[in-house]
């Protein structure tokens, strides 16, 4: 049986950031990825937004790690030449009743140290984005966009240069916590066994399944998983926007955000629905609802403008009716002091802003691993 120091399960953007942090700290790292390529699920099917950190409950891991990760991510991308742009975002109110919600974002941002937000009136918003109709807006200048695949390749390259190894098509099918480490059974036929001093479960949509497959992990500490599907429609012509545009409004309403990728392609989404598993089918019948939601702030949208884009699945810990400001929707990062399995770190519910927070999450997990190793001495 092979013995290793650290096994990172999952080669999405967060798993790769964790592997990078551990390898750069001098640890032996193997990255176990069930698919045939890195980042094929949540990391590849999102908005590619660098979030400012203004939508999360005070004191939440999401808020703290988003703000820390944003600063680190901008510096990393600039240093490594990874595609990104700090284009800013407008959160727009289309009715007077929505204006107080803009102030709520300022409060949430301030709780995590975001101090560059600015309320603007309809005239200034129109000057910044002439196609947008609103009665007022909030300008977030530190919001941006990034090439998520380029970012993942950067993280993987750093990890490999410091000795990490990537093993594709290597699903973890079972495990057992023993006195000498965590034994993982790897591969579709479970023909490979690894004894690991540390296991980091960053399997994203599969994190609950992986945790449940490790004998000794208390089932009561594995939170439920809700598969939240989001559709993205693309705009079939040149983007009329220079920034991201997010409408405010009631929780659960179809808000149809505007995002722009580095190539200038404009897309709208995601919406929020629920599925029973990883199901990327696109429901084109959502187009009329998208058009109605978009026209609240962009009346120039034509009937034939929207084209089916793609869907993404987010690993939500709270199901229908949950608020984005609810602490039940926060990241869950468990070490041995929470669940009692020495050497195991579980990451659950790592959805948005996971990409923005990835470097900060990597450092956070590295600290947990170091603290657990120190406690053993």
């Amino acid at each position: 049986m092979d013995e290793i120091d650290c096994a990172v399960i999952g080669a999405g953007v967060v798993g790769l950031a964790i592997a990078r942090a551990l390898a750069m700290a001098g640890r032996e790292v193997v990255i176990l990825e069930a698919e045939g390529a890195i980042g094929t699920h949540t990391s590849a099917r999102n908005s590619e937004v660098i979030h400012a950190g203004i939508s999360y409950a005070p004191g939440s891991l999401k808020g703290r790690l988003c703000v820390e990760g944003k600063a680190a991510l901008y510096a990393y991308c600039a240093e490594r030449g990874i595609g990104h742009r700090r284009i800013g975002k407008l959160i727009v109110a289309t009715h007077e009743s929505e204006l107080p919600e803009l102030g709520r974002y300022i409060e949430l941002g301030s709780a995590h140290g975001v101090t560059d937000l600015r309320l603007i009136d309809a005239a200034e918003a129109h000057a910044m984005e002439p196609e947008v109709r609103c009665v007022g807006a909030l300008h977030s200048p530190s919001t941006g966009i990034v090439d998520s695949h380029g970012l993942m390749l950067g993280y993987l390259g750093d990890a490999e240069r410091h000795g990490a190894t990537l093993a594709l098509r290597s699903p973890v099918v079972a495990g057992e916590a023993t006195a000498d480490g965590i034994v993982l059974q790897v591969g579709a036929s479970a023909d490979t066994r690894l004894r690991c001093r540390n296991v980091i479960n960053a399997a994203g949509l599969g994190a609950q399944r992986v945790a449940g497959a490790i004998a000794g992990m208390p089932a009561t500490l594995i939170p439920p998983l809700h598969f939240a599907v989001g559709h993205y429609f693309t705009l079939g012509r040149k983007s009329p926007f220079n920034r991201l545009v997010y409408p405010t409004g009631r929780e659960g309403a179809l808000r149809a955000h505007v995002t722009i990728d580095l190539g200038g392609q404009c897309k709208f989404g995601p919406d929020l629905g629920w599925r029973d598993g990883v199901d990327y089918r696109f429901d084109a019948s959502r187009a009329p609802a998208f058009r109605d939601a978009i026209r609240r702030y962009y009346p120039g949208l034509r009937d034939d403008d929207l084209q089916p884009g793609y869907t993404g699945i987010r690993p939500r810990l709270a199901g229908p009716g949950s608020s984005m400001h609810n602490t039940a929707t926060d990241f869950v990062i468990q070490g041995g002091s929470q669940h009692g399995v020495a050497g195991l770190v579980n990451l659950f519910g790592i959805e948005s802003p996971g990409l923005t927070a990835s470097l900060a999450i990597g450092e956070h997990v590295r600290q947990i691993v170091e603290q657990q190793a120190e406690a053993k001495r």
Side-chain angles (χ1 to χ4, degrees), residues 37-48:
I38 64 173
T40 60
H41 291 287
T42 307
S43 298
R45 293 172 168 270
N46 59 67
S47 302
E48 295 189 303

Side-chain angles (χ1 to χ4, degrees), residues 51-70 108-109 111-114 330-331 353 357:
H51 291 285
I54 62 176
S55 298
Y56 315 112
S60 64
L61 271 180
K62 278 188 177 181
R64 177 170 69 83
L65 295 176
C66 179
V67 173
E68 292 176 5
K70 173 185 65 175
L108 291 170
H112 295 289
V114 181
D330 199 9
F331 296 156

Side-chain angles (χ1 to χ4, degrees), residues 211-296:
I214 297 175
M217 173 64 203
T220 56
L221 296 181
I222 302 174
L225 171 63
H226 301 273
F227 296 90
V229 63
H231 291 76
Y232 293 86
F233 282 86
T234 61
L235 185 67
R237 54 188 171 90
K238 182 180 178 182
S239 174
F241 309 104
N242 296 308
R243 298 165 185 80
L244 308 184
V245 180
Y246 282 34
T248 189
R250 298 180 303 278
E251 289 286 354
L254 201 171
R255 297 169 65 201
H257 305 159
V258 170
T259 57
I260 307 167
D261 65 23
L262 291 167
Q265 173 70 60
C266 172
K267 56 183 179 289
F268 300 93
D271 60 351
L272 176 61
W274 306 95
R275 292 192 172 162
D276 295 330
V278 179
D279 177 357
Y280 294 122
R281 287 177 299 171
F282 195 96
D283 181 5
S285 71
R286 298 289 292 152
F290 266 77
R291 280 194 289 267
D292 289 345
I294 294 165
R295 283 171 175 154
R296 291 178 56 217

Side-chain angles (χ1 to χ4, degrees), residues 18-286:
I18 293 168
R20 172 185 180 272
L22 292 172
M24 292 180 69
R27 291 191 168 274
E28 178 192 23
V29 177
V30 172
I31 309 164
L32 303 173
E33 168 55 48
E35 304 291 348
I38 64 173
T40 60
H41 291 287
T42 307
S43 298
R45 293 172 168 270
N46 59 67
S47 302
E48 295 189 303
V49 170
I50 301 175
H51 291 285
I54 62 176
S55 298
Y56 315 112
S60 64
L61 271 180
K62 278 188 177 181
R64 177 170 69 83
L65 295 176
C66 179
V67 173
E68 292 176 5
K70 173 185 65 175
L73 185 57
Y74 274 126
Y76 181 83
C77 290
E79 177 185 349
R80 301 304 177 92
I82 294 168
H84 72 290
R85 288 174 56 206
R86 193 188 301 246
I87 62 175
K89 173 173 72 176
L90 291 183
I91 302 177
V92 299
T94 58
H95 296 93
E96 296 288 336
S97 62
E98 296 170 356
L99 288 172
E101 183 66 15
L102 300 179
R104 173 65 169 152
Y105 285 106
I106 292 179
E107 293 175 5
L108 291 170
S110 297
H112 295 289
V114 181
T115 59
D116 60 356
L117 305 174
R118 188 168 63 92
L119 288 170
I120 61 176
D121 61 20
E124 186 171 357
H126 181 74
M128 295 173 74
E129 291 291 345
E131 296 293 332
V132 169
R133 180 187 68 82
C134 67
V135 297
L138 179 72
H139 181 218
S140 171
S142 66
T143 302
I145 54 177
V146 65
D147 172 7
S148 60
H149 190 67
L151 182 64
M152 287 189 282
L153 289 175
Y155 290 169
L156 176 60
D158 289 346
E160 290 181 331
R161 279 190 292 273
H162 287 82
T165 300
L166 172 65
L168 299 174
R169 298 185 180 86
S170 299
V172 173
V173 296
E176 181 182 7
T178 74
D180 298 321
I182 300 170
V183 177
L184 299 179
Q185 296 181 37
V186 182
S189 59
D191 52 358
T192 299
R193 300 177 77 231
L194 300 175
R195 189 186 308 277
C196 315
R197 285 188 288 277
N198 299 280
V199 170
I200 295 84
N201 173 15
L205 293 165
Q208 277 85 345
R209 181 197 62 76
V210 168
I214 297 175
M217 173 64 203
T220 56
L221 296 181
I222 302 174
L225 171 63
H226 301 273
F227 296 90
V229 63
H231 291 76
Y232 293 86
F233 282 86
T234 61
L235 185 67
R237 54 188 171 90
K238 182 180 178 182
S239 174
F241 309 104
N242 296 308
R243 298 165 185 80
L244 308 184
V245 180
Y246 282 34
T248 189
R250 298 180 303 278
E251 289 286 354
L254 201 171
R255 297 169 65 201
H257 305 159
V258 170
T259 57
I260 307 167
D261 65 23
L262 291 167
Q265 173 70 60
C266 172
K267 56 183 179 289
F268 300 93
D271 60 351
L272 176 61
W274 306 95
R275 292 192 172 162
D276 295 330
V278 179
D279 177 357
Y280 294 122
R281 287 177 299 171
F282 195 96
D283 181 5
S285 71
R286 298 289 292 152

Side-chain angles (χ1 to χ4, degrees), residues 314-334:
R314 291 154 280 179
R316 283 280 175 94
L317 302 186
S322 60
S323 165
M324 67 179 177
H325 306 314
N326 190 327
T327 55
T329 64
D330 199 9
F331 296 156
V332 172
I333 302 178
Q334 300 172 338

